[in-house]
Amino acid sequence: MGAESKRQQKFARLVQKDLGDIFQREMQHILPNVMVTVTMVRATPDLSGVKVYLSFYNAPDVKEAINTVKLHAADFRYKLGKRIRNQARIVPELEFFVDDTNEYVEKMDKLFNQIRDKEE
């Protein structure tokens, strides 16, 4: 996969900002007491689809949380469409994924700490 064009990056930033807003203000009822962060958005070259990476804070079960979001994907797309209709010709299809970067970083930190402790 090549580098994203400026147009894709700009569109992805727009979608990220608006989806983040939707999660915080309009859709918090689908995951009560869970903070959802849109960590990254990647747009297809034709802007017809986006991959949305989410981070969940305070979620008892991350798999269940992402499945709940996927079940409501049409609602998110509709709300996004209402916000970006003046800036985009089409409302992209939304694909949601868990961003597990933080868990990976924590796991690596633990491993490095274990190695350092063994050396001392």
Side-chain angles (χ1 to χ4, degrees):
M1 188 173 113
E4 287 185 324
S5 69
K6 292 278 188 207
R7 183 169 166 247
Q8 283 171 276
Q9 291 172 1
K10 186 176 177 185
F11 186 70
R13 281 193 303 272
L14 171 73
V15 170
Q16 182 175 1
K17 180 186 157 301
D18 284 333
L19 270 181
D21 221 32
I22 291 166
F23 271 105
Q24 299 306 315
R25 290 180 169 59
E26 299 177 39
M27 297 294 283
Q28 67 271 39
H29 63 277
I30 67 164
L31 291 168
N33 303 320
V34 176
M35 187 175 141
V36 181
T37 305
V38 181
T39 56
M40 183 173 40
V41 174
R42 293 276 182 244
T44 58
D46 64 357
L47 308 182
S48 66
V50 293
K51 291 182 178 182
V52 181
Y53 294 87
L54 304 173
S55 171
F56 298 92
Y57 178 73
N58 207 21
D61 183 1
V62 173
K63 281 189 172 131
E64 188 179 311
I66 192 71
N67 287 335
T68 302
V69 169
K70 287 178 180 180
L71 282 173
H72 290 86
D75 297 332
F76 285 108
R77 186 170 184 239
Y78 173 75
K79 290 187 180 295
L80 179 66
K82 283 174 43 177
R83 287 171 175 247
I84 69 170
R85 66 174 178 249
N86 297 327
Q87 294 134 309
R89 272 189 306 145
I90 56 171
V91 180
E93 290 291 329
L94 305 175
E95 266 189 285
F96 293 102
F97 299 93
V98 175
D99 181 356
D100 56 1
T101 307
N102 287 340
E103 288 90 39
Y104 179 76
V105 168
E106 287 174 16
K107 184 178 172 186
M108 295 307 290
D109 280 346
K110 278 185 188 172
L111 288 172
F112 287 130
N113 287 338
Q114 288 173 355
I115 292 169
R116 191 184 66 234
D117 290 345
K118 284 181 183 176
E119 289 175 352
E120 291 174 355

